Amino acid sequence: MSRARVLVLNSALGPLDYRVPYGMSVEPGSIVVAPLGPRQLMGVVWEAERLPSDAEVGDNRLRNLLGVADVPAIRAPLRRLVEWTADYYLAPPAAVVRMALSSTALEGSRTATEYRATGDVPDRLTPQRAQALERIGERQGLIRELASIAEVSDAVIRGLVKAGAIEAVEIDIDSAYPEPDPMHAPPDLSEEQAGAAARLVGDVAARAFAPTLLDGVTGSGKTEVYFEAVAEAIRQGRQALVLLPEIALTEPFLKRFHDRFGCEPVAWHSGLRATQRRRAWRAIAGGEARVTVGARSALFLPYADLALIVVDEAHETSFKQEDGVHYHARDVAVMRAKFEGCPVILASATPAIETQQQVERGLYAEVRLPQRFGPAQMPAIEAIDLIAEQPPRGRWLAPKLVAAIDETLAKGEQSLLFLNRRGYAPLTLCRTCGHRFQCPNCTAWMVEHRLTRRLACHHCGHVEPVPRLCPECHNEDTLVACGPGVERIADEVAALWPEARTALVTSDTIWSPAKAAEFVGRMEAGAIDIVVGTQLVTKGYHFPNLTLVGIIDADLGLEGGDLRASERTFQQIRQVSGRAGRGEKPGRVFIQTHNPGAQVMQALVTGDADAFYAAEVEARRDAGAPPFGRYAAIIVSSEDKGAAHDTAVSIGRAAPEVEGMHVYGPAPAPLAMLRGRHRFRLLVHARRTLDVQDVIRAWLGALTWSAKVRVAVDVDPYSFV
């Protein structure tokens, strides 16, 4: 090969042609270093016929490739996945292939220098140095990683190194991972579980594409069942991937995996240090990593021989990427399995309607686990009508729920209170002049966090201290917190049960796998009586002594007019309800709602999931909503509101007339400003059989707009803000 077409890691550029110098050997999938002007960029050699170039360049004008990375080439199945993802989600191929590469993994050195605290306190302990040492704790990493953890500058960390409070350590970054043993601790499966496991093991043994929905109630042992399919992949000497929706679930999962296979799998998530990412990437690409568990980005890693993909909690909306490439990991996982020729398991207690419809159409197989494992039974669920049984003024827990917690504490059992709203209060206002605190970068209210004494925007991350005076009327002691967040519920719990040991579980308190492991350890040791938490506690946890769950505001998820609002509410409440009574002790669930007669509330209380889903399916069918129709959002944003508006209007005017497709908008997005950018949205609604991507590609491809305007397309959107 004397000429190579290269997909360079620059989303603004298409494929570029280069000369392969004498003595250099490349093939499709080779990772290369290519010159671009004065710069050097990483890229991947591609089949020329699959990625046409904008203009053919003569051989005499080609520049030489500069080098080839000493790592395995990107295999054809992953290259096909990159092409499909780019085409389906209307994303630049370079943006997709970037997710498959790790820049640190391409470096040649086998050792690296990391830093850790020595335990010594420097003579000059500034506030920033004290903050750094406190937050770093026992962590280890590169200087820039420690600075990020501590939220200080690199210079502060370097100063601590000079002062002897932080030391350098040399580490081997390519050490081998331990091999999981499929026979280490085989589980004692029930007859029902064994039958389900046998089917999944058979799919792995068949070495063919086979999508399967593993539909089991909470506590039915889905993890133990699909672990048997993972064990079969290990016996074959091949690789398996397990996707989890939340980083907080990783640590509990690692423990369960260790108990079953005698060692931990290879982890892949945003919390890894650069050296850990390099080690994992190389082990995965080389085939040494037998089992990988990770967040959605693990889906694009260059596995050498993938035998199985598992998507755990496959209904979770966090599998949808909302920035950059707007892909849904559940759907991309199915496509990766198709290209790899291996089975994919979608495990869930509350499957998405889209997945259930694939089963109905005969495209996915289904394995069901309708009963909990062993003596455990599903909890009794009761709705509390907040209109008829109002909490006392200034309180949020209804008397019936308070009495139930009293009983649970008296029996030495654990309780969980769920509210999917971080912070102390979602809105702070002045009782004198009515001033409301709004984020300066977003059209969103600032959320009060009393634990950190700050107001925070949960969309852009802007924070500011809670002022003593109202910034509008300058009166003192007039600021009022409106509505409850989990911190406010925790305060109420502390007031009602001052002797109870309480844990607050949100992304503000459980920000790393280590923090999640600490929480799990305390729960299992019986060191916590009452948990107050957000969606982080709705899935993945198994606490046999947790027998009571209270949902504080079940109506919260129904606000906003989202087409999936009822489905999400049902899934979320059913999942958190499933935390109760997972051992031998019976569980109880109380759902506080202002509308106990609503269809979703009735389905939760009666446990009639089939009737709920049937009604939802008919409503979607009548509206032509997914999975019976298609949506795509076009989001126009700019720091210049006028430029964003004019571009959105011009896009709307240019909308093509296509049978079976309607374009709504443009209109200001519900979140009209985000991170300082003004936003307008158009919504495309099309029949299921229409190739809406081709229509949008031709539509937008014929238009031009200012460089200060950004136009993004979200195919199959999950967020409508």
Side-chain angles (χ1 to χ4, degrees), residues 160-178:
L160 287 169
V161 173
K162 290 180 180 178
I166 290 178
E167 64 180 356
V169 288
E170 195 81 5
I171 63 167
D172 179 1
I173 53 180
D174 277 344
S175 57
Y177 287 96

Side-chain angles (χ1 to χ4, degrees), residues 242-390:
V242 180
L243 294 180
L244 300 178
E246 300 278 359
I247 186 175
L249 293 181
T250 307
E251 201 68 21
F253 180 91
L254 296 183
K255 182 179 182 299
R256 294 177 74 176
F257 188 94
H258 185 281
D259 292 343
R260 170 63 180 88
F261 295 104
C263 68
E264 291 189 353
V266 176
W268 185 270
H269 51 73
S270 59
L272 296 180
R273 308 193 306 270
T275 51
Q276 292 174 317
R277 294 176 75 83
R278 180 194 191 278
R279 180 188 178 204
W281 192 95
R282 283 183 166 249
I284 288 166
E288 294 86 21
R290 294 296 180 212
V291 183
T292 302
V293 55
R296 57 178 178 252
S297 59
L299 187 57
F300 290 93
L301 293 173
Y303 301 94
D305 188 12
L306 201 52
L308 171 68
I309 300 174
V310 179
V311 185
D312 205 351
E313 309 287 358
H315 62 279
E316 272 294 317
T317 56
S318 54
F319 278 126
K320 173 71 176 186
Q321 170 79 23
E322 298 292 354
D323 295 314
V325 181
H326 292 255
Y327 69 95
H328 198 301
R330 179 196 65 217
D331 301 333
V332 178
V334 173
M335 293 307 299
R336 175 130 204 201
K338 182 177 182 180
F339 291 127
E340 295 281 355
C342 73
V344 55
I345 300 169
L346 308 180
S348 175
T350 53
I353 288 176
E354 287 85 348
T355 303
Q356 292 183 333
Q357 282 302 298
Q358 294 293 72
V359 172
E360 287 288 322
R361 295 183 182 121
L363 300 177
Y364 293 3
E366 183 180 29
V367 174
R368 303 196 73 173
L369 295 171
Q371 304 295 328
R372 281 188 159 178
F373 178 72
Q377 300 294 319
M378 294 299 290
I381 301 178
E382 179 180 345
I384 298 176
D385 186 347
L386 290 177
I387 295 176
E389 302 180 56
Q390 293 184 7

Side-chain angles (χ1 to χ4, degrees), residues 27 478 510 639 668 685:
E27 61 179 319
T478 61
I510 307 291
E639 293 179 359
H685 183 198

Side-chain angles (χ1 to χ4, degrees), residues 534-550:
T534 60
Q535 63 178 352
L536 280 184
V537 296
T538 64
K539 49 197 173 284
Y541 294 114
H542 176 79
F543 303 126
N545 200 40
L546 198 160
T547 59
L548 176 67
V549 168

